[in-house]
Amino acid sequence: MSTFHLYNTLSRGLEEFRPLVPGTARLYTCGPTVYNFAHIGNFRAYVFEDLLRRWLAFKGFKVTQVMNLTDVDDKTIRDSQAAGLPLRDFTARYKQAFFDDIRALGIQPAEHYPAATDHIPEMIALIQRLFDRGIAYQAPDQSVYFSIDKWPAYGKLARLDRSGMRSGVRISNDEYEKENVADFALWKAWDERDGDVSWPSPWGRGRPGWHIECSAMSMKYLGPSFDLHTGGVDNIFPHHEDEIAQSEAANGVPFATYWMHCAHLMVDGHKMSKSAGNFYTLRDVLSRGYTGREVRWLLLSTHYRAALNFTFAGLDAARTALRRLDTLHARLQEAAAPLLTAGCQPAAELPPWAPPHNETFIAAMDADLNVSAALAALFDTVRDTNSALDRAELSPAHAAALLNLLARWNTALGFLPFEEEKTAAVPPQVLDLLQQRTEAKKAKNWPQADALRAQIAALGYAVKDTPSGPTLSPL
Ligand SMILES: [Zn+2]
């Protein structure tokens, strides 16, 4: 079997994945700031990380994934005050919403979801180490800063030009641009805008900066050195650059070996923004009648390092692709039924044309998660299976082996109905009738369309026409 190669942002090149401890993969994935419902751009990153996690498991690695929840920072404080709620109550709502959303997308849970406010002592201890090493200092504003002058490796991930850096200039915002490279805040002294949010520390009361949260929590759950650290390209600077500086300066050992970043998501070819009216949370999309599985499919079907253009036409295409897979799956189950009901163990033997597709699938995913090529192998398999079934040339044993192959691929991609969907899976017969009705409508054969709607109703499903196509719901 081929080995897994990934693109490491740190080296700007493809590298073979070699974990620090053979057989295990330790993965830190920057999680949500829980001040609002996450938007589909955020979920692009989480679905990419899910794909990575699943592929590592597929390759036999024991995965430990940590995803932090940022429940104290500039934004959570600002918006909890606007909502008139204590910080903890305010963020609790959005933590729950986040977990509901990732379940809807079939994202496998991480092993740890540490919340920043539960790890303040760890952050203080880390800042203290930087202080003791002469790399952190307390400024006249009482906040504690990281001195980038004292850390010559600063800028290695984002490839910053150090010659332009201004010594002793400070920035206390959590988020800033490359033009504002400066000493960044590790501990922010309390000020009026923080209201009742503060913790005591050796430097007076205050709160942690955003970047130190991830350094402290990754260290606690994964150790000072671990294998993979991921996020969106927006995280490269300053967040990940600052994380590396803090962690390596405090621990004296390399932080993460591989850095992986997923590209932006666009909507209808434009940057997503509230002012442009093309800003969508997952909930917005689901309320239009799409399923989490369809959204997942769209988010994962573009390579993670390419910009993804999110459109509703793309979601319709996702729906069509998934229906093809579901129909094939049902056909295979039917074809394998004689064997399965006879209680025989399905033979592992695939029909002779299938193993090359499996090899293509694995080689594609091993090449930096080349999902487009993997999906091509999947649909070549669908095509060949359908034609073997059409010719009545697929034995029950071959059908069972193909079901096993799909199940195996599904562990990597998560395209088959999720557990909660399974109970509600629409029978293929109903999907066929729905397809016939769509065609009847296209041909403006209204009596036929109505008759098909009645047949679908007789099988227990209501059809609803939406701008993006018909949807089914159980009666
Ligand atoms: Zn982070």
Side-chain angles (χ1 to χ4, degrees):
M1 213 199 262
S2 51
T3 52
F4 179 34
H5 283 70
L6 55 85
Y7 181 86
N8 189 353
T9 307
L10 198 58
S11 66
R12 304 290 195 272
L14 284 175
E15 295 179 25
E16 183 185 337
F17 175 65
R18 284 200 211 139
L20 295 169
V21 178
T24 67
R26 281 173 290 165
L27 167 64
Y28 190 88
T29 49
C30 286
T33 300
V34 281
Y35 74 113
N36 210 328
F37 297 112
H39 59 68
I40 50 173
N42 302 133
F43 287 114
R44 182 192 190 187
Y46 306 141
V47 167
F48 145 63
E49 287 152 355
D50 181 58
L51 190 66
L52 173 63
R53 168 195 170 87
R54 285 166 176 263
W55 191 248
L56 290 165
F58 188 101
K59 299 295 289 179
F61 295 103
K62 185 183 175 296
V63 179
T64 304
Q65 181 188 0
V66 177
M67 181 176 275
N68 65 296
L69 304 170
T70 297
D71 60 353
V72 57
D73 80 324
D74 298 349
K75 290 184 287 198
T76 45
I77 293 174
R78 179 194 67 200
D79 289 5
S80 66
Q81 289 170 349
L85 286 171
L87 183 67
R88 206 165 245 287
D89 296 351
F90 177 76
T91 56
R93 266 174 74 184
Y94 295 112
K95 282 179 193 168
Q96 190 51 51
F98 171 72
F99 288 120
D100 292 344
D101 286 352
I102 59 171
R103 198 165 44 249
L105 288 171
I107 290 176
Q108 292 182 343
E111 280 63 32
H112 304 280
Y113 288 103
T117 54
D118 294 332
H119 296 79
I120 304 291
E122 286 86 345
M123 296 172 203
I124 291 175
L126 185 57
I127 299 168
Q128 185 66 56
R129 278 163 83 173
L130 292 166
F131 216 87
D132 295 344
R133 292 188 163 212
I135 289 161
Y137 65 94
Q138 190 164 24
D141 67 1
Q142 300 306 306
S143 292
V144 177
Y145 290 87
F146 185 100
S147 171
I148 57 175
D149 268 356
K150 300 272 172 60
W151 191 248
Y154 189 79
K156 70 177 175 180
L157 180 70
R159 307 230 162 152
L160 301 176
D161 175 11
R162 284 188 65 88
S163 63
M165 290 182 195
R166 297 154 301 164
S167 177
V169 176
R170 287 182 285 273
I171 185 141
S172 68
N173 293 346
D174 284 332
E175 291 177 78
Y176 51 94
E177 304 295 324
K178 270 187 191 173
E179 302 80 71
N180 301 107
V181 173
D183 291 356
F184 57 90
L186 300 168
W187 185 259
K188 300 188 189 201
W190 179 87
D191 79 23
E192 280 174 358
R193 287 169 301 172
D194 293 341
D196 61 357
V197 178
S198 74
W199 288 264
S201 85
W203 314 283
R205 73 174 165 134
R207 62 180 169 100
W210 172 38
H211 317 298
I212 200 76
E213 297 181 4
C214 285
S215 284
M217 295 192 284
S218 59
M219 210 170 110
K220 171 161 179 177
Y221 295 94
L222 298 174
S225 298
F226 55 91
D227 304 304
L228 295 139
H229 196 315
T230 66
V233 283
D234 286 345
N235 289 142
I236 296 174
F237 184 85
H239 186 50
H240 289 166
E241 192 68 58
D242 292 355
E243 276 188 49
I244 294 175
Q246 297 160 157
S247 301
E248 297 193 349
N251 297 323
V253 292
F255 185 40
T257 316
Y258 307 98
W259 290 82
M260 295 175 79
H261 294 97
C262 82
H264 287 289
L265 176 140
M266 319 278 277
V267 175
D268 295 326
H270 299 281
K271 192 173 189 294
M272 185 166 67
S273 75
K274 280 186 178 150
S275 55
N278 67 351
F279 183 95
Y280 297 106
T281 64
L282 178 63
R283 280 139 204 263
D284 295 333
V285 177
L286 298 184
S287 72
R288 294 188 176 215
Y290 294 99
T291 65
R293 191 160 66 111
E294 288 160 355
V295 178
R296 173 187 178 85
W297 181 272
L298 177 58
L299 293 179
L300 69 67
S301 54
T302 295
H303 187 257
Y304 76 93
R305 284 197 288 122
L308 187 156
N309 190 24
F310 183 96
T311 62
F312 285 96
L315 275 177
D316 294 336
R319 174 169 293 176
T320 306
L322 288 168
R323 278 198 186 140
R324 260 184 89 196
L325 288 167
D326 289 350
T327 305
L328 177 87
H329 199 254
R331 286 189 86 185
L332 278 174
Q333 278 177 321
E334 209 175 296
L339 185 80
L340 300 175
T341 49
C344 298
Q345 277 300 315
E349 186 101 355
L350 285 161
W353 46 263
H357 294 323
N358 188 34
E359 282 154 32
T360 305
F361 180 92
I362 292 172
M365 292 296 286
D366 269 341
D368 194 32
L369 306 177
N370 184 350
V371 79
S372 322
L375 293 182
L378 171 62
F379 280 105
D380 285 348
T381 307
V382 172
R383 180 201 60 211
D384 292 351
T385 306
N386 274 324
S387 68
L389 286 164
D390 292 345
R391 296 193 308 267
E393 280 176 4
L394 202 70
S395 69
H398 279 164
L402 283 163
L403 280 172
N404 282 346
L405 181 68
L406 286 183
R408 178 99 181 106
W409 288 352
N410 187 57
T411 64
L413 299 180
F415 54 82
L416 291 175
F418 308 153
E419 281 307 318
E420 22 317 11
E421 270 187 56
K422 268 185 198 158
T423 47
V426 180
Q429 192 192 355
V430 173
L431 292 175
D432 277 353
L433 290 170
L434 185 70
Q435 185 59 37
Q436 289 175 37
R437 180 177 169 274
T438 304
E439 277 153 26
K441 278 184 70 188
K442 251 188 218 156
K444 301 199 190 305
N445 185 346
W446 310 116
Q448 172 77 356
D450 286 344
L452 285 159
R453 178 197 284 276
Q455 283 184 49
I456 294 169
L459 292 165
Y461 287 85
V463 185
K464 198 177 138 205
D465 289 303
T466 72
S468 53
T471 60
L472 288 168
S473 52
L475 280 168

